[in-house]
Amino acid sequence: TLFDSDLDAYLYSPIFVDDHTAAFIETTGYEYRDNQYDRIAEFAYSTIYSLDLITNERTVIAKARGVLLDLVYIPAKEQFIATGEDVSQNVEPQKVESGSHSALYLIEDGQLEEIYNGSYMTPSSMQATEDGTLMLILPDDQSNWTLDTMYEAVERIYETDPTEQPLQLELVSNPDKIEPITDFVQVEDGLLYQTILNYEDYDNVFDYDLVPFSLVNREEGKRLGLNENGIEYLRAPGNDILYYVNRTQAYRGGNAFSLHRYELETGTIDEINVTPETE
């Protein structure tokens, strides 16, 4: 164990900064009004920490009110980027009557600078590229969305330089694709992303799978054939290995999670035992 959260707090988005440093978010999370779908985020407390994996020394990177959800580090520019809902600093948070304010933040000297708020949903699957830009998933109606376009929008992969304002989002994935992309990783010859294969003719259950996409040819390759309904949290630490979490329905309607390693060249899949040690 490297860190225990405070009571009733949550830990989000653990990442590696370098070989001996990690970073993560601790937040008191959402409160709810009369039902679980009516969330109150503005009065939460969120803290971004860095952690020395050798000495276990913890340092505060930034503090804010609101809920911070996702964190990414861009080594080429030594920058942290975070997503959040109803975030504020140095002022008393204001009550939000309806909806929420989702935004992307650049973190410098403990301050969160809002650099993008053009979508009704927070960016997902944020990843740094080798040249210092940021890849992320957003719906294609961002910046001009309406309640009508929300239901017709398609989640796609974009790339941007987070230091340039206003933020310029360049489409990376296929502009003609009608199926939403839910997660992706960068691999040697392009991208590997999860998408829905039977988006228009599904029979009560969506068919998810992982599909390679060449950034050179701008074409999809052959699906991996994992045939899983709950693949989550893709990670590719090298060009030949993929890690993912599989979510399956368990006893009495709950969920069971398992970690898997997939060798991209051979197609070999191994389940990894991640049961934590306890005293």
Side-chain angles (χ1 to χ4, degrees):
T1 299
L2 298 174
F3 178 82
D4 286 319
S5 71
D6 291 336
L7 188 65
D8 296 327
Y10 300 88
L11 300 181
Y12 289 134
S13 192
I15 60 172
F16 285 111
V17 177
D18 53 41
D19 289 342
H20 60 83
T21 308
F24 60 93
I25 298 169
E26 181 187 39
T27 177
T28 56
Y30 298 101
E31 295 181 3
Y32 298 92
R33 293 186 172 93
D34 295 333
N35 63 72
Q36 62 174 331
Y37 302 105
D38 193 5
R39 305 185 302 191
I40 304 173
E42 60 270 25
F43 299 114
Y45 289 88
S46 293
T47 303
I48 302 173
Y49 290 106
S50 66
L51 181 69
D52 189 308
L53 299 176
I54 298 175
T55 65
N56 218 32
E57 180 181 358
R58 190 170 69 251
T59 303
V60 174
I61 297 174
K63 289 185 175 182
R65 299 298 299 271
V67 176
L68 295 175
L69 292 167
D70 202 3
L71 184 66
V72 67
Y73 179 71
I74 304 178
K77 298 182 178 179
E78 298 183 345
Q79 293 172 330
F80 285 98
I81 306 290
T83 65
E85 293 186 5
D86 300 332
V87 172
S88 62
Q89 283 184 305
N90 309 318
V91 296
E92 198 63 29
Q94 301 298 311
K95 184 176 181 181
V96 178
E97 295 298 334
S98 61
S100 63
H101 179 81
S102 300
L104 188 65
Y105 299 91
L106 176 66
I107 305 169
E108 291 185 335
D109 299 324
Q111 297 300 304
L112 276 66
E113 176 189 355
E114 183 177 300
I115 58 175
Y116 178 78
N117 66 354
S119 176
Y120 52 87
M121 61 182 289
T122 56
S124 62
S125 198
M126 296 195 305
Q127 298 172 35
T129 66
E130 289 187 357
D131 60 358
T133 62
L134 182 70
M135 279 190 183
L136 68 171
I137 294 176
L138 277 171
D140 58 7
D141 64 341
Q142 30 84 22
S143 296
N144 59 355
W145 65 274
T146 66
L147 291 177
D148 293 328
T149 65
M150 287 173 59
Y151 298 100
E152 301 295 330
V154 177
E155 283 74 35
R156 305 184 187 276
I157 302 172
Y158 294 86
E159 186 174 3
T160 186
D161 183 344
T163 63
E164 293 184 358
Q165 287 295 309
L167 206 65
Q168 301 296 319
L169 293 167
E170 180 181 352
L171 181 62
V172 174
S173 57
N174 185 354
D176 299 323
K177 188 175 181 60
I178 63 171
E179 304 88 1
I181 296 173
T182 61
D183 199 357
F184 75 96
V185 289
Q186 301 171 65
V187 292
E188 185 175 13
D189 57 351
L191 304 174
L192 184 65
Y193 53 65
Q194 178 172 256
T195 187
I196 299 171
L197 277 301
N198 58 337
Y199 188 64
E200 291 188 314
D201 59 353
Y202 76 97
D203 184 17
N204 297 321
V205 178
F206 280 129
D207 180 18
Y208 289 88
D209 205 349
L210 299 182
V211 178
F213 179 75
S214 171
L215 294 176
V216 177
N217 301 326
R218 314 292 295 177
E219 294 179 350
E220 287 187 355
K222 184 179 180 180
R223 59 188 289 187
L224 297 192
L226 296 182
N227 297 321
E228 305 281 9
N229 291 326
I231 299 174
E232 301 175 351
Y233 306 113
L234 303 180
R235 296 292 184 270
N239 292 323
D240 55 348
I241 296 293
L242 171 73
Y243 291 93
Y244 65 89
V245 172
N246 184 29
R247 173 173 48 85
T248 56
Q249 188 172 8
Y251 181 61
R252 291 184 176 176
N255 288 313
F257 298 90
S258 56
L259 177 64
H260 299 261
R261 179 176 56 235
Y262 183 97
E263 295 186 11
L264 296 177
E265 290 189 2
T266 65
T268 303
I269 302 175
D270 295 312
E271 184 174 342
I272 301 172
N273 183 4
V274 292
T275 304
E277 294 183 0
T278 57
E279 297 180 354

